[in-house]
Amino acid sequence: MLFARRDIEAAAAAAAAGQDDSSAAKRSKPESPAGARPTLTRTEGLAAAAVLALFVAGIFCIFLAAPRREFDQILRLPRSLADVRLLKENLAMYARDHQANFVLGYCSIYIFMQTFMIPGTIFMSLLAGALFGVVKGGILVVFTATAGASSCYFLSKLIGRPLVSWLWPERLRYFQSEIAKRKDKLLNYMLFLRITPTLPNTFINMASPIVDIPFHIFFAATLVGLIPASYITVKAGRALGDLKSVRDLYDFKTLVVLFLIGSVAVVPTILKRKRIYE
């Protein structure tokens, strides 16, 4: 009995010492800094690389199959209004003679830029208005913008959480709290965000899967909500010569109109809350 008691006491002491060492090790372990760069797992990195390679291969095949006349003048991404005006002159004849090839190439580039958050899609929208007019250009822009936003949504679902948390931590917390408060009228709120410039579209595309917005709601809000802004941009593309700056697209009057249109989307939510309080 004496030896058994000693063994029990020794085991208890060893367990206590091990617990103390474990606690000390946890306390001494350095914490990751708050502003640390995001790190992707090997699987996430491979998934992102595969998506990028798929896009690049698809665009390369499209341009290999396209007629190569004046490629040196049209294979440019517009970065300013001057670039858009120059491209309009160079592309007008090419788009008329090879419309199917041109539309396919235009859509692939637009979706690629939207998926990987490459700036310049607003100039692509202006170009669509300049080349195809308000109706055809508007349909083309809404289609490609919705497809690109959907592609960005799924890419963010794969690898977006560390990137969004690093790029927009405060905005993500705000967005998450707003979504949690509007679960019953989520489509109305998403329509309001899409129509009005309350939050950047890039952030909405990246953050939506992270805050658990269902894809069907995201898709419907994007498809409908982008129509007013796309109409304004495409219509401005018809008068590139009169446009001096991109800021002219969204002057005070235009912003007021967009907010009024967006407010219509949240009216059902406001009325429902009023009925509940009454």
Side-chain angles (χ1 to χ4, degrees), residues 7-23:
D7 291 342
I8 292 171
E9 291 176 351
Q19 188 173 3
D20 292 340
D21 292 342
S22 176
S23 301

Side-chain angles (χ1 to χ4, degrees), residues 43-265:
T43 303
E44 290 172 339
L46 288 174
V51 173
L52 178 62
L54 185 64
F55 267 101
V56 172
I59 293 173
F60 182 72
C61 291
I62 289 172
F63 282 100
L64 275 183
R68 304 195 179 189
R69 188 183 65 183
E70 300 174 355
F71 258 25
D72 58 330
Q73 297 179 2
I74 65 174
L75 291 183
R76 298 176 183 176
L77 290 180
R79 297 293 185 183
S80 66
L81 288 177
D83 291 344
V84 176
R85 293 188 185 102
L86 182 61
L87 269 178
K88 177 194 173 185
E89 300 300 327
N90 295 335
L91 284 172
M93 186 178 297
Y94 191 91
R96 187 184 67 242
D97 295 341
H98 312 285
Q99 190 168 9
N101 294 98
F102 176 80
V103 170
L104 189 59
Y106 176 92
C107 292
S108 61
I109 292 175
Y110 198 116
I111 294 171
F112 173 76
M113 294 173 69
Q114 192 96 328
T115 301
F116 292 97
M117 300 182 296
I118 300 173
T121 52
I122 190 169
F123 300 116
M124 297 286 287
S125 301
L126 288 169
L127 192 61
L131 293 174
F132 300 109
V134 175
V135 178
K136 290 182 180 179
I139 294 172
L140 185 63
V141 168
V142 171
F143 167 76
T144 50
T146 304
S150 302
S151 180
C152 186
Y153 176 98
F154 286 112
L155 182 63
S156 181
K157 199 166 187 176
L158 287 174
I159 65 168
R161 185 174 295 274
L163 294 174
V164 177
S165 300
W166 175 57
L167 290 171
W168 306 289
E170 296 296 330
R171 189 174 287 171
L172 179 62
R173 281 191 285 270
Y174 166 78
F175 190 41
Q176 201 157 19
S177 65
E178 292 297 309
I179 293 299
K181 290 187 289 187
R182 294 170 171 83
K183 284 290 185 182
D184 54 339
K185 291 291 183 181
L186 195 54
L187 179 60
N188 299 81
Y189 180 61
M190 289 297 294
L191 277 171
F192 174 78
L193 292 181
R194 282 302 194 188
I195 294 171
T196 64
T198 307
L199 288 173
N201 280 326
T202 300
F203 170 78
I204 296 173
N205 296 342
M206 291 286 291
S208 291
I210 296 171
V211 298
D212 297 325
I213 294 175
F215 177 69
H216 68 278
I217 291 179
F218 174 87
F219 180 84
T222 302
L223 183 65
V224 178
L226 290 181
I227 292 175
S230 298
Y231 171 78
I232 292 170
T233 309
V234 170
K235 187 177 180 182
R238 295 290 293 170
L240 281 177
D242 300 331
L243 198 62
K244 297 179 181 179
S245 170
V246 176
R247 294 180 180 178
D248 295 341
L249 290 173
Y250 298 101
D251 55 9
F252 180 75
K253 182 180 177 181
T254 303
L255 291 176
V256 170
V257 171
L258 288 176
F259 270 103
L260 288 175
I261 296 172
S263 299
V264 175

